Amino acid sequence: MCLLLSAGPYRRLPRLSGSLKGSVQTRSKSSIVTAWGAYVGHFAKPSVLSGPSLLGGSELEDGSLEEHACATPVQISLNRLFRCGSDQKTSIAVDAMGAGVRHALVSTHSLSGDRFESHLAGFGLNRCRQLGKKGSDTPSIVTNVPGKVLQIACGREHSAMVVEKKDRTKVVMVCGSNSYGQLGIGDTHKLQEAAIPKQTAGLEQEEYLIPASGLVEVAALKDMLRSDEMPVRVQCGMDHTVVLTSLGRVFAMGWGSDGQLGAGPDSTVCHDRPVQVFGLDKAPIVDISSSTDFTLALSVDGRLFYWGNAEYGQCMIGKKIDQVLAPLEIPFTDGTIVKIAAGGCHALVLLSDGRVYGCGYGAIGMGADTASSLTPSLVKGIRGIGHIAASTDRCLALDSQNNVYSWGLGNHAGRLGNGTVFSNLYAPTRLDISPKHVQPAFMALGNDIALLASNA
């Protein structure tokens, strides 16, 4: 189910934010990171905090901006994010970024002597250690990762990443809530005692004993892969995780009541270890996308597949379906699909000629008069698009010149990036971001946080 018109997530769990001190060693080149939305004000460079729409707590024309949020894009201080100290100006080059419902992660790596490790900086909510480890009282937490983080995905209260080891093998590492088995590390009940203390000052009774974990490797996945196969991409839904491998196979774990795991025609159960997605053997899969309760997959020969919740018609077949329990091949005849983006109640596809098509319900980029489409419809007002992203309630697109376009439902975090709060954007709107500060490889879109970056 998708509560599109509500700012809060469904299957809601209580929240506790936190952070912990850390350190970082980096390389010579530096990155420029632009961000907006929840918690971003903690790290905004002082020179950009003078605008009326940037300060958390500001009263905008359409409502009040939440504390520490930024409603327009700002450059953030990586030294502050990585807790390098106020007297240091370290050059930090970003390797990967990810954003979820109310948390985000940014990684860089060190190569010195025998050391081959990454430094993972996280900010936002951390009740279930979704930032990598337990911590509180500071705006960000830094966790050391054994290897180079290649790609990051974040869900509601969990995170996943592909990590390259020193011997060039790749593994999936996860952290955060395992309430539905979304970490893929086995029996959730065994995590309770070690995860969150039974008695913690200031917490209500209902917040005790949430199965969770700091950063660990998904060992069960290694046992399922072939000798020449490695993970290459991860995606997080609200409470499930999807993994794509180098051989084009797809695995999933976590919440499965609406078919989020694609485990088969009769499967609506949760799995706390990876299971192979059913029926994707016609052609290798080359891309996957998930952010809420369904997944899109694109095969090497350009075929589109869909599984999970489809009650708003976002499955693009002309009707609403409550549950798609096994991958459904979606016929598409308007062009060649090259990229995919799964939102909450909506889905996007990008064609080889730069056109974007959308389907589903909400502010889906087709104007204020079109809140629903059961078949793929052209998103108007943008062309020459090269990259797309979608989260539960919003979308981003980059054109060939790296101009950034935003549309979707606004909220108190200023997540649309156009200086408004509760106003919606029913059509793509260009944001005030310099194209030179944008690289398509560094685009992370969560429900309330967005990150873009470029390496100078």
Side-chain angles (χ1 to χ4, degrees), residues 53 58-65 71 409-412 414-416 418-425:
S53 66
S58 296
E59 287 291 335
L60 305 183
E61 291 183 3
D62 61 339
S64 179
L65 186 64
L409 300 178
N411 74 347
H412 57 285
R415 62 186 174 195
L416 296 182
N418 68 328
T420 64
V421 182
F422 289 104
S423 296
N424 302 325
L425 289 178

Side-chain angles (χ1 to χ4, degrees), residues 354-403:
R355 291 179 295 158
V356 177
Y357 280 75
C359 191
Y361 171 74
I364 52 179
M366 300 167 195
D369 296 331
T370 304
S372 178
S373 177
L374 297 180
T375 57
S377 300
L378 181 67
V379 177
K380 299 179 180 179
I382 51 176
R383 59 183 181 180
I385 300 300
H387 297 270
I388 53 174
S391 187
T392 303
D393 296 313
R394 58 174 176 152
C395 304
L396 281 186
L398 309 182
D399 68 15
S400 59
Q401 303 300 313
N402 286 340
N403 294 305

Side-chain angles (χ1 to χ4, degrees), residues 10-239:
Y10 50 94
R11 291 199 301 277
R12 185 176 180 180
L13 299 173
R15 295 168 172 170
L16 172 68
S17 60
S19 54
L20 191 67
K21 290 184 178 180
S23 61
V24 61
Q25 298 177 4
T26 58
R27 296 151 287 159
S28 57
K29 64 179 181 178
S30 60
S31 295
I32 295 173
V33 175
T34 302
W36 65 95
Y39 311 107
V40 169
H42 283 299
F43 314 102
K45 293 183 177 180
S47 61
V48 304
L49 284 178
S50 58
S53 66
L54 303 184
L55 293 174
S58 296
E59 287 291 335
L60 305 183
E61 291 183 3
D62 61 339
S64 179
L65 186 64
E66 72 176 57
E67 188 176 5
H68 304 303
C70 289
T72 56
V74 298
Q75 288 185 26
I76 67 172
S77 168
L78 291 176
N79 280 260
R80 189 176 304 166
L81 177 62
F82 280 90
R83 304 182 57 75
C84 296
S86 58
D87 58 340
Q88 298 184 38
K89 291 186 177 180
T90 306
S91 295
I92 297 173
V94 168
D95 290 325
M97 306 188 301
V101 172
R102 298 284 292 183
H103 73 284
L105 298 171
V106 179
S107 73
T108 185
H109 78 277
S110 294
L111 293 172
S112 58
D114 293 332
R115 298 179 64 185
F116 186 77
E117 65 179 8
S118 291
H119 307 282
L120 186 70
F123 67 93
L125 298 183
N126 194 43
R127 184 177 69 105
C128 293
R129 303 182 183 183
Q130 57 261 49
L131 300 186
K133 62 184 179 182
K134 182 181 177 182
S136 60
D137 301 325
T138 54
S140 64
I141 291 176
V142 177
T143 304
N144 288 342
V145 183
K148 181 181 179 181
V149 177
L150 301 178
Q151 187 249 323
I152 303 172
C154 301
R156 184 234 299 276
E157 287 189 306
H158 77 291
S159 307
M161 59 203 74
V162 178
V163 178
E164 183 181 61
K165 299 291 190 175
K166 193 173 183 178
D167 61 3
R168 303 307 178 191
T169 59
K170 297 174 184 176
V171 300
V172 172
M173 301 193 74
V174 292
C175 55
S177 171
N178 200 41
S179 296
Y180 304 103
Q182 58 264 53
L183 300 188
I185 56 178
D187 189 351
T188 61
H189 299 291
K190 293 180 181 179
L191 294 172
Q192 291 181 339
E193 297 295 330
I196 297 178
K198 290 183 179 179
Q199 296 184 1
T200 304
L203 294 184
E204 299 295 334
Q205 180 68 33
E206 64 178 351
E207 294 177 310
Y208 300 162
L209 294 177
I210 304 300
S213 175
L215 194 63
V216 293
E217 182 180 335
V218 185
L221 180 65
K222 294 176 64 175
D223 297 335
M224 302 183 70
L225 300 184
R226 300 165 185 167
S227 59
D228 58 344
E229 186 177 26
M230 292 188 287
V232 294
R233 183 168 173 79
V234 291
Q235 290 285 277
C236 291
M238 280 286 186
D239 299 303

Side-chain angles (χ1 to χ4, degrees), residues 267-303:
S267 179
T268 58
V269 300
C270 301
H271 286 271
D272 61 10
R273 295 178 183 273
V275 295
Q276 187 170 356
V277 174
F278 177 87
L280 289 178
D281 51 1
K282 295 180 180 179
I285 299 300
V286 294
D287 196 12
I288 54 174
S289 178
S290 186
S291 72
T292 309
D293 270 337
F294 72 90
T295 298
L296 294 174
L298 186 65
S299 68
V300 68
D301 56 359
R303 285 183 284 180

